[in-house]
Amino acid sequence: MKRVTCLVLLSTTVAVTALHFAGNVWATPAVGFAATTIISGTFGEIDVLNKSIIPDSSENDRRAKVWLSLQKTEGPSDLYVQSNVWQPGGTTGWHTHPGNSLIIVTAGTVTEYEGHDSDCRPHVYTRDMTFVDPRGDHVHIIRNEGSVVARTIAVQLTPAGASRRIDVADPGNCHFQ
């Protein structure tokens, strides 16, 4: 009976320790990166649709294309305006978000890598460029591989009360130096 009790206590200690440290072992933390919320607010359900066609434009006119913007949510949503700053060599660590983000680069250069891209292709964005982080299973990392500070402004819409950022394990497709 004494051996069984010792074995149960040892197994429990190992399991609790493993669970306690699992997030720290597998997550890839941000380094040289700071995100600051400029402002946030909560919306009720959102149901908007914008559709615009410019009449009397030529077929080659970019404005002649249909522009469609649909945003529909069930339940409340949190909106964040974020200021993000990377020091040279800084990284967000691998992560995802529960909602989409619209991002504008305001200084320097950031490079995004996507977790599902087995070729680990860099997506480079410089000042005044924009990009979208679609949400959910879009695991990514954003790095400053340059020699000057990089900055972005991000507008994020997430389910109300959800964590704005979800750290994830390195998917293993990129081998950074």
Side-chain angles (χ1 to χ4, degrees):
M1 182 70 162
K2 195 173 191 180
R3 283 186 184 181
V4 171
T5 302
C6 287
L7 184 58
V8 168
L9 286 175
L10 179 62
S11 298
T12 302
T13 301
V14 169
V16 168
T17 302
L19 289 173
H20 174 74
F21 289 106
N24 294 333
V25 170
W26 299 110
T28 55
V31 176
F33 169 77
T36 304
T37 301
I38 296 171
I39 193 163
S40 64
T42 301
F43 288 86
E45 289 187 1
I46 299 171
D47 188 5
V48 295
L49 169 69
N50 303 297
K51 183 177 178 182
S52 177
I53 299 174
I54 308 295
D56 301 320
S57 57
S58 72
E59 194 170 303
N60 293 329
D61 188 343
R62 183 173 172 220
R63 296 175 303 158
K65 307 284 191 242
V66 172
W67 182 77
L68 176 67
S69 171
L70 171 65
Q71 187 72 53
K72 183 173 177 70
T73 66
E74 291 184 20
S77 300
D78 290 333
L79 180 76
Y80 297 91
V81 177
Q82 293 289 124
S83 171
N84 299 311
V85 178
W86 290 258
Q87 297 303 315
T91 175
T92 60
W94 289 99
H95 68 283
T96 188
H97 304 280
N100 59 318
S101 302
L102 305 174
I103 304 161
I104 302 170
V105 180
T106 60
T109 300
V110 294
T111 304
E112 179 188 34
Y113 298 90
E114 298 176 351
H116 69 274
D117 180 2
S118 60
D119 294 327
C120 191
R121 287 180 295 253
H123 302 275
V124 178
Y125 303 99
T126 60
R127 184 177 175 175
D128 297 330
M129 292 179 76
T130 60
F131 61 105
V132 175
D133 175 3
R135 77 164 189 84
D137 60 354
H138 180 248
V139 172
H140 66 143
I141 189 169
I142 304 174
R143 299 164 39 101
N144 178 355
E145 297 174 344
S147 59
V148 299
V149 172
R151 299 175 188 274
T152 67
I153 296 292
V155 177
Q156 297 177 311
L157 188 67
T158 64
S163 178
R164 193 186 62 71
R165 173 192 161 108
I166 302 162
D167 291 333
V168 298
D170 181 341
N173 62 318
C174 297
H175 305 288
F176 300 116
Q177 308 238 355

